[in-house]
Amino acid sequence: MDIIFPDFSKVKMDKNNPKWEQAISRIEPIYSKPYDPRSPFERDMQRIMHSQGYRRLKNKTQVFFAPHNDHVCTRIEHVTHVASVAETIAKLLNLNLDLVRAIAIGHDIGHAPFGHHGETVLQNIAEQNNLHEFWHENNSLRFIDKIETLPDYDGVQQNLDLTYAVRDGIVCHCGEIDERYIKPREEMFDLYTIQKGGKLGAYTYEGCVVKISDKIGYIGRDIEDACTYGILTDKNLKELLDIVCTTYPDIKLSEINTTVLIHKFIMDLCQNSSTETGLCFSDDCYNVMNLIKKFNYKNIYYHPRILRFKKYATLVLETIFEKLSEYYPDIKGNIAKEKQLYPKLLKEFEEWLIKYSDYDLALKTGKKLANKQIYNISEETDYKNAIIDFISGMSDNFAIDVYNELISF
């Protein structure tokens, strides 16, 4: 029997939506060809996919740090999973596919190395040094607004300058918040006034879809990866089976995987949502999702092997920050003195300062860099913020490599 899903086409973000002009607005207009068949959101998605920050996600932690197993999820696979879930939901509900793709592909572009633990380490460093507050949703907004660039038709590097709806969906994407139903907010405002991730609804239904998809996308996959590494015992799996079968008695233990759980969650959401109530899970589905999430925290995220690695990850990030902080105030002189000692770290850090600060404006012009200058490095706070941003963009592997460079003789 065919399932009839609710029709959200009246609230879809398209030209018939009263929010359309605000949704497609950009901080700065971007260059364009006389004819471009892409929608504004499709263009945003492709600008994100061509950025260096997106490429580095393939070597950033999802749950298991710096994995050497090709079949274990990294951050880039996670954003692909979220995009897949969000597209399926958008298709079933008649929402804008281009917009959900763009938000989903870009939502974790500002994630720190070593996953949420790396985020916590950078939060602590920022707090101890009175720097800008660090949380990954806001950092993703910073990266797509101020860090990531692409060459224009003359080869000059320009900021991405994405649409408001995509930027909003990215900063409002947090799937860690437990909500049974969500609806978009009505007001448009400066996204940098948002104080905390996950506390605010997105401006569009498409942004709300990605927020829910972020949670759906990681719950089942984290269990699969834990099984791959032998993290979960038979006792753990029995506990998981009891949780799932209370709501879904048709599922067997061997079938508790990403595919089955994602299908159950998507179908439940799409059958229980409406434009009146918003995107909504049934009570049973909502409860089982939260129970699985608690199971994951207890048995996976706080597993001794992961906790041991967290100590190492903390040491890596703190050591890099401490070393680069030592170069202030004679930054140029100190980098020049030690460039041969730490060639990998200092080559990349100096390139970062040239591109984003007043470190060497003549050299910046010669490199065809027309992106925004965001640091005045004669100010210590600006200089240390530059270090935080530089570290947050690192892959796990690069952070480990430059840490080893710092401690090796």
Side-chain angles (χ1 to χ4, degrees):
M1 183 176 66
D2 290 339
I3 300 173
I4 299 175
F5 295 102
D7 186 1
F8 276 62
S9 57
K10 289 184 179 178
V11 292
K12 177 180 183 177
M13 188 46 63
D14 61 15
K15 292 181 180 180
N16 297 315
N17 192 309
K19 295 180 177 179
W20 174 252
E21 291 302 324
Q22 290 82 8
I24 64 169
S25 64
R26 303 178 189 270
I27 297 174
E28 300 287 345
I30 57 174
Y31 49 90
S32 61
K33 295 179 180 178
Y35 173 73
D36 192 330
R38 298 171 295 175
S39 73
F41 305 134
E42 190 176 9
R43 190 168 185 193
D44 282 0
M45 186 269 290
Q46 291 174 355
R47 289 177 73 75
I48 294 167
M49 287 188 70
H50 288 299
S51 71
Q52 290 188 340
Y54 176 77
R55 298 173 197 177
R56 290 194 297 270
L57 294 178
K58 65 178 175 285
N59 286 316
K60 286 195 176 190
T61 288
Q62 173 58 17
V63 172
F64 297 97
F65 303 104
H68 297 292
N69 187 323
D70 291 340
H71 304 134
V72 169
C73 192
T74 62
R75 187 64 56 178
I76 202 165
E77 292 171 73
H78 166 70
V79 302
T80 306
H81 294 154
V82 172
S84 175
V85 172
E87 287 170 27
T88 301
I89 294 170
K91 193 180 297 182
L92 292 175
L93 299 181
N94 290 320
L95 290 168
N96 190 313
L97 283 169
D98 290 342
L99 179 51
V100 297
R101 285 185 187 121
I103 297 169
I105 287 296
H107 81 273
D108 270 352
I109 205 166
H111 229 299
F114 309 125
H116 285 287
H117 179 68
E119 179 179 9
T120 300
V121 174
L122 293 184
Q123 282 173 347
N124 293 337
I125 292 173
E127 186 177 348
Q128 291 160 10
N129 289 271
N130 296 314
L131 307 178
H132 65 69
E133 187 178 2
F134 187 90
W135 40 289
H136 83 268
E137 299 93 339
N138 180 262
N139 203 51
S140 289
L141 180 66
R142 282 176 58 77
F143 262 67
I144 60 167
D145 279 356
K146 301 176 181 180
I147 304 295
E148 295 304 322
T149 63
L150 287 176
D152 62 18
Y153 299 134
D154 297 316
V156 178
Q157 292 288 332
Q158 305 275 5
N159 292 104
L160 298 187
D161 290 316
L162 305 185
T163 59
Y164 182 85
V166 172
R167 296 171 58 241
D168 168 82
I170 287 173
V171 76
C172 294
H173 82 258
C174 181
E176 290 295 304
I177 305 302
D178 295 327
E179 296 168 298
R180 188 184 155 209
Y181 63 89
I182 57 174
K183 295 182 76 170
R185 68 176 196 277
E186 290 302 319
E187 65 275 18
M188 177 185 181
F189 50 70
D190 181 353
L191 298 174
Y192 287 96
T193 63
I194 300 174
Q195 297 298 311
K196 193 67 177 173
K199 298 296 185 184
L200 192 70
Y203 188 59
T204 65
Y205 260 108
E206 288 79 2
C208 293
V209 165
V210 174
K211 184 173 184 176
I212 286 180
S213 301
D214 189 31
K215 185 172 184 177
I216 293 174
Y218 74 75
I219 285 180
R221 183 54 193 266
D222 293 353
I223 293 168
E224 279 196 25
D225 288 345
C227 289
T228 298
Y229 277 130
I231 295 291
L232 298 177
T233 65
D234 289 342
K235 182 180 177 182
N236 296 148
L237 293 172
K238 175 63 168 61
E239 179 187 347
L240 177 62
L241 182 63
D242 290 342
I243 291 170
V244 175
C245 287
T246 301
T247 303
Y248 304 118
D250 57 315
I251 296 181
K252 301 173 184 176
L253 179 60
S254 60
E255 297 172 351
I256 300 177
N257 57 41
T258 305
T259 302
V260 170
L261 292 177
I262 284 178
H263 177 75
K264 291 288 188 183
F265 298 152
I266 289 175
M267 290 299 105
D268 185 276
L269 177 78
C270 291
Q271 289 176 274
N272 287 279
S273 297
S274 71
T275 54
E276 290 76 31
T277 60
L279 300 173
C280 184
F281 291 107
S282 68
D283 287 338
D284 284 344
C285 182
Y286 177 70
N287 289 335
V288 80
M289 286 183 74
N290 287 332
L291 287 171
I292 294 174
K293 183 178 173 181
K294 288 178 182 177
F295 172 89
N296 286 2
Y297 270 94
K298 175 185 170 185
N299 298 293
I300 302 175
Y301 311 144
Y302 293 141
H303 190 275
R305 285 179 66 184
I306 289 183
L307 295 178
R308 279 194 292 272
F309 194 95
K310 284 182 178 180
K311 295 179 182 178
Y312 173 67
T314 300
L315 180 63
V316 168
L317 299 184
E318 288 182 347
T319 300
I320 297 169
F321 180 83
E322 288 166 5
K323 181 59 188 174
L324 294 178
S325 295
E326 291 173 4
Y327 292 146
Y328 185 85
D330 184 15
I331 303 162
K332 268 192 180 180
N334 287 322
I335 288 177
K337 272 191 280 186
E338 297 201 332
K339 201 179 273 188
Q340 287 187 323
L341 290 174
Y342 315 117
K344 189 168 189 173
L345 173 63
L346 295 186
K347 174 184 178 296
E348 295 298 329
F349 185 56
E350 188 171 47
E351 289 289 338
W352 185 273
L353 294 179
I354 290 168
K355 187 171 184 178
Y356 301 110
S357 78
D358 54 352
Y359 179 81
D360 192 327
L361 295 178
L363 191 55
K364 178 175 180 176
T365 302
K367 287 178 174 286
K368 300 179 84 170
L369 300 171
N371 57 291
K372 297 166 187 161
Q373 178 186 311
I374 54 178
Y375 316 114
N376 174 5
I377 58 169
S378 62
E379 299 290 335
E380 186 174 11
T381 297
D382 265 21
Y383 176 66
K384 288 186 174 180
N385 277 326
I387 299 172
I388 288 281
D389 290 342
F390 175 61
I391 293 173
S392 75
M394 292 180 179
S395 67
D396 294 15
N397 296 339
F398 183 81
I400 290 170
D401 285 349
V402 297
Y403 170 75
N404 288 336
E405 189 176 66
L406 289 172
I407 64 170
S408 299
F409 291 96

